[in-house]
Amino acid sequence: MKIYNTLTKKKEEFVPLEKGKVKMYVCGPTVYNLIHIGNARPMIVFDTIRRYMEYKGLEVNYVSNFTDVDDKIIKAAKEEGIDASTISERYILECKKDMASLNIKEATVHPKATEEIDSMLAIIQDLMDKDYAYKAQDGTVYFRVKKFQDYGKLSHKKLDDLEAGHREMKVTGDDKEDSFDFVLWKPKKEGEPFWHSPWCDGRPGWHIECSAMSRKYLGEEIDIHAGGEDLIFPHHENEIAQSEGANGKTFAKYWMHNGFLNIDNKKMSKSLGNFFTVRDVNQKYDPQVLRFFMLSAHYRSPLNFSEDLMEAAKNGLSRIVSSVENLRYLSEITVKWEMSEDEKKLMDEVKRFRLKFEEAMDDDFNTADAVSVIFELVKFINIHTSKENSRQYIDELVNEMEELTQILGIITKREKELLDQDIEDLINERQVARKEKNFQRADEIREELSKKGILLEDTREGVKWKRID
Ligand code: AMP
Ligand code: ZN
């Protein structure tokens, strides 16, 4: 399995630190709004990479954070006149619903920044002890960038070159030693959330949370660190400086970055206002179409979002699903049981599709080629199946299609629709569980319904629900 490593700018053979195990950290969203489909791209591609690794027999410890303390969250809270934590809790829940709709597996751990302040304080303290960090007069703690020799190794930037562009950047009144130094901890401001620290009451800078959570849940050295390519500089560069400065060890062996999702060839982003939320798109398409659309391109290539491409993805997906449905139908009506010699020969050909699929995925997770192999297999199935075939042959083809599509996180089984009555029954069960203070069961029910696209809302008049896809 080869992975393109941003650090070395090369495709490298993947060799895990510990045989059979993968420690993987993916930078997650800042939760102040519904996620847009650009945010969904890293979620979908790295989930697919995780699935492929698991298919290959690797045990993946997958950690992905929620940034739930940040200027944008505080601003959104002020606008609504509520607590920052109310905003972040709300959007974490909404984000989890969107992820479930896109069939993104839950991370092994989904830490939240506000619950990990202690580990952040610990790593900042280590940096202070090693002289990588210093406290300025107003209590702000900065990372001393020039002390970290390897600074720039990920983004392939040289401090000297940056220096030229940076010269004008020093803000007057700023008491940091050098304009490159970045914030690890900053003093509280009126009306903002804060925590106590040895330096001042305040809150963490953005970069430190990932170094801290990664160390806590995965250890000082990890296999893969991933995120969108906009994070290479400064976020990931700063994470390397923090983690390697504090731990004295190589932080991550492989750095993976997805390309942007664009619209009219411009990056889709909240600040530019040119975005669609996952929720918007789910109104119009089955969420699987969005997932399939994302996987139709290589994860490192830019991908332009358009109606035409979504329609093409919808049709492509429908060809795959229909082919499997047709096989299932044949399996029910066919009268022969055992595979004939001719069918065995055909199955040998089918094995070649599997090899081709793996070849594509082994080459830096080329899902675009992997999807083409699935289409080739669909074509093969359409030519080489009829009700004259044996059940064994048909069922093997079903298995083959299911295994390959599951690696991509595409579901070919049309699930039985939840009827309104089933939903009402589950809601009643949840109410009873809550009365009995069995909150675990109550949460399970909410989660189960959310996975099926049912949104619950607790209102004064009781529980209301609606379908979100
Ligand atoms: P943010 O909430 O902005 O920190 O973004 C969360 C994740 O989404 C990061 O990994 C970003 O790199 C990624 N991301 C944001 N916008 C896009 C986009 N238009 N295309 C691909 N990835 C994106
Ligand atoms: Zn991060």
Side-chain angles (χ1 to χ4, degrees):
M1 202 186 317
K2 282 201 161 66
I3 294 184
Y4 179 87
N5 191 352
T6 310
L7 197 62
T8 55
K9 290 189 170 177
K10 282 195 197 96
K11 275 187 203 171
E12 293 172 21
E13 188 59 34
F14 178 65
V15 184
L17 290 162
E18 192 181 336
K19 200 166 181 275
K21 298 202 168 152
V22 182
K23 296 178 201 163
M24 181 164 181
Y25 186 98
V26 181
C27 292
T30 308
V31 278
Y32 64 103
N33 214 325
L34 290 174
I35 58 162
H36 63 68
I37 55 177
N39 299 134
R41 191 172 188 195
M43 292 173 182
I44 293 170
V45 299
F46 295 118
D47 175 66
T48 306
I49 289 168
R50 169 196 190 173
R51 283 170 185 267
Y52 184 64
M53 289 182 155
E54 287 174 345
Y55 159 78
K56 286 275 203 157
L58 294 161
E59 191 188 307
V60 185
N61 191 347
Y62 190 98
V63 178
S64 190
N65 63 306
F66 284 113
T67 300
D68 63 347
V69 54
D70 165 272
D71 289 343
K72 286 174 256 168
I73 301 172
I74 294 169
K75 185 165 168 267
K78 280 194 181 141
E79 277 164 13
E80 282 196 38
I82 50 177
D83 269 11
S85 63
T86 312
I87 290 279
S88 56
E89 282 303 319
R90 182 200 297 162
Y91 289 112
I92 287 173
L93 203 68
E94 298 301 334
C95 178
K96 285 190 172 174
K97 280 179 209 160
D98 287 337
M99 290 170 83
S101 77
L102 294 166
N103 200 24
I104 293 161
K105 286 174 83 162
E106 287 219 17
T108 318
V109 194
H110 259 309
K112 297 174 197 163
T114 53
E115 290 174 4
E116 306 293 344
I117 301 290
D118 284 350
S119 15
M120 294 187 221
L121 295 179
I123 196 165
I124 298 173
Q125 186 61 59
D126 289 348
L127 291 169
M128 286 292 252
D129 294 345
K130 294 187 175 173
D131 221 25
Y132 279 110
Y134 62 93
K135 179 180 147 178
Q137 260 173 9
D138 67 350
T140 309
V141 182
Y142 289 103
F143 186 93
R144 191 173 270 130
V145 168
K146 282 195 178 144
K147 183 170 159 70
F148 184 69
Q149 298 297 324
D150 280 342
Y151 195 82
K153 71 174 170 180
L154 179 71
S155 51
H156 307 282
K157 291 180 193 291
K158 289 199 175 67
L159 274 184
D160 293 345
D161 300 340
L162 283 171
E163 192 103 63
H166 250 72
R167 213 161 281 151
E168 304 308 317
M169 276 186 55
K170 194 164 162 84
V171 187
T172 33
D174 209 350
D175 57 354
K176 52 181 172 175
E177 290 174 3
D178 190 276
S179 60
F180 287 116
D181 297 351
F182 59 87
V183 172
L184 298 171
W185 187 264
K186 55 184 163 192
K188 70 171 180 185
K189 282 197 200 136
E190 198 49 43
E192 293 188 354
F194 69 91
W195 292 264
H196 300 303
S197 86
W199 312 288
C200 65
D201 283 354
R203 62 185 166 100
W206 169 35
H207 315 296
I208 197 68
E209 67 178 82
C210 294
S211 287
M213 297 187 218
S214 180
R215 177 164 92 167
K216 176 165 169 190
Y217 293 103
L218 297 170
E220 294 180 346
E221 290 174 285
I222 69 171
D223 293 290
I224 300 173
H225 194 113
E229 66 183 7
D230 56 330
L231 300 185
I232 298 173
F233 188 85
H235 184 54
H236 287 165
E237 198 68 70
N238 291 355
E239 279 189 39
I240 292 179
Q242 295 166 156
S243 296
E244 300 194 355
N247 305 327
K249 291 181 186 147
T250 302
F251 178 28
K253 219 170 151 187
Y254 305 88
W255 286 85
M256 300 182 76
H257 295 98
N258 65 273
F260 281 146
L261 182 74
N262 294 331
I263 189 151
D264 299 326
N265 298 313
K266 275 196 213 87
K267 179 195 170 187
M268 181 176 289
S269 81
K270 281 181 194 154
S271 51
L272 292 174
N274 59 347
F275 64 90
F276 292 106
T277 62
V278 169
R279 220 46 79 77
D280 292 333
V281 176
N282 283 359
Q283 296 273 343
K284 187 153 182 212
Y285 294 98
D286 178 331
Q288 290 225 90
V289 176
L290 184 59
R291 181 166 184 126
F292 192 65
F293 159 78
M294 297 276 188
L295 298 178
S296 63
H298 187 264
Y299 74 92
R300 282 191 288 121
S301 311
L303 175 60
N304 209 44
F305 180 77
S306 74
E307 187 89 20
D308 284 354
L309 288 176
M310 281 296 281
E311 284 299 319
K314 184 178 160 185
N315 294 337
L317 181 64
S318 157
R319 253 165 64 210
I320 294 172
V321 174
S322 305
S323 152
V324 180
E325 275 179 348
N326 195 36
L327 285 175
R328 287 211 183 90
Y329 170 71
L330 288 179
S331 166
E332 274 169 27
I333 61 163
T334 190
V335 285
K336 281 184 222 148
W337 176 249
E338 235 169 84
M339 218 184 290
S340 68
E341 285 309 309
D342 283 350
E343 287 175 334
K344 279 184 189 156
K345 278 195 198 117
L346 286 171
M347 277 321 292
D348 285 341
E349 274 187 58
V350 169
K351 289 204 182 85
R352 289 220 293 275
F353 290 110
R354 162 91 57 147
L355 290 178
K356 260 178 97 175
F357 180 95
E358 290 187 10
E359 232 172 76
M361 292 299 279
D362 283 340
D363 182 17
D364 192 30
F365 311 99
N366 193 335
T367 53
D369 283 0
V371 165
S372 305
V373 177
I374 295 184
F375 282 131
E376 283 173 36
L377 180 56
V378 167
K379 207 161 146 195
F380 175 94
I381 287 169
N382 292 345
I383 297 171
H384 296 289
T385 54
S386 76
K387 60 180 189 310
E388 308 305 324
N389 285 118
S390 71
R391 172 112 185 234
Q392 234 185 358
Y393 170 76
I394 298 288
D395 286 353
E396 278 208 23
L397 287 172
V398 173
N399 273 343
E400 201 61 30
M401 281 297 284
E402 276 189 346
E403 275 204 35
L404 298 188
T405 48
Q406 267 165 23
I407 293 170
L408 302 179
I410 298 294
I411 304 163
T412 50
K413 240 182 242 157
R414 284 196 211 275
E415 281 198 35
K416 185 171 98 43
E417 261 222 19
L418 263 189
L419 300 173
D420 288 5
Q421 189 54 50
D422 300 330
I423 297 169
E424 302 282 349
D425 289 349
L426 278 168
I427 290 175
N428 287 337
E429 193 190 333
R430 177 169 168 266
Q431 294 300 81
V432 174
R434 287 203 328 175
K435 252 190 215 129
E436 291 169 352
K437 300 215 180 317
N438 183 355
F439 296 113
Q440 194 185 342
R441 178 64 191 144
D443 286 348
E444 264 171 30
I445 294 174
R446 179 187 268 280
E447 192 88 337
E448 190 183 329
L449 287 168
S450 136
K451 277 195 186 132
K452 301 210 158 114
I454 310 295
L455 187 73
L456 297 190
E457 218 182 311
D458 293 308
T459 71
R460 245 180 262 162
E461 296 90 60
V463 183
K464 291 195 174 145
W465 64 269
K466 62 178 178 196
R467 295 181 194 270
I468 54 167
D469 54 353

